[in-house]
Amino acid sequence: MNTKFIVEIMSHIRVLEVPSLLILISVLYKLLGNQNLFIGIMVYALVRLFINIRFKIQQEKFQKAMLEYLDTIEENEEDGV
């Protein structure tokens, strides 16, 4: 299996890690009968998910830009500039 593929999968799983744990905790509160905490934690989990997705998109753009920059540096070194 390609290492890059595994890294990408793990990176996407990291986006879901905290929100999924928060949803699990909120379901436990629901089972205990505490509706207010259930709703509060679910809302926080959704907000956290959107924050993680936005951060992930920005991180991917930054990584792509850095890789392109490194490629141009390598090309310039090969050209003797």
Side-chain angles (χ1 to χ4, degrees), residues 5-81:
F5 181 69
I6 293 172
V7 170
E8 286 181 19
I9 290 174
M10 293 302 293
S11 179
H12 291 303
I13 290 174
R14 265 189 89 192
V15 170
L16 300 173
E17 186 177 36
V18 171
S20 62
L21 289 174
L22 287 170
I23 289 172
L24 179 66
I25 291 170
S26 68
V27 168
L28 291 174
Y29 277 116
K30 172 94 170 165
L31 291 174
L32 293 174
N34 196 336
Q35 186 71 23
N36 293 332
L37 277 176
F38 167 75
I39 293 170
I41 294 174
M42 284 296 280
V43 168
Y44 180 67
L46 290 173
V47 168
R48 187 71 189 185
L49 177 65
F50 289 123
I51 290 171
N52 287 356
I53 289 171
R54 183 174 177 207
F55 177 75
K56 176 72 177 143
I57 291 169
Q58 290 175 344
Q59 183 183 24
E60 287 177 353
K61 287 180 182 178
F62 176 75
Q63 287 175 346
K64 183 179 177 184
M66 286 301 294
L67 290 174
E68 289 175 0
Y69 176 71
L70 291 174
D71 287 341
T72 58
I73 290 176
E74 288 176 4
E75 289 174 4
N76 289 340
E77 288 178 354
E78 291 173 359
D79 293 339
V81 174

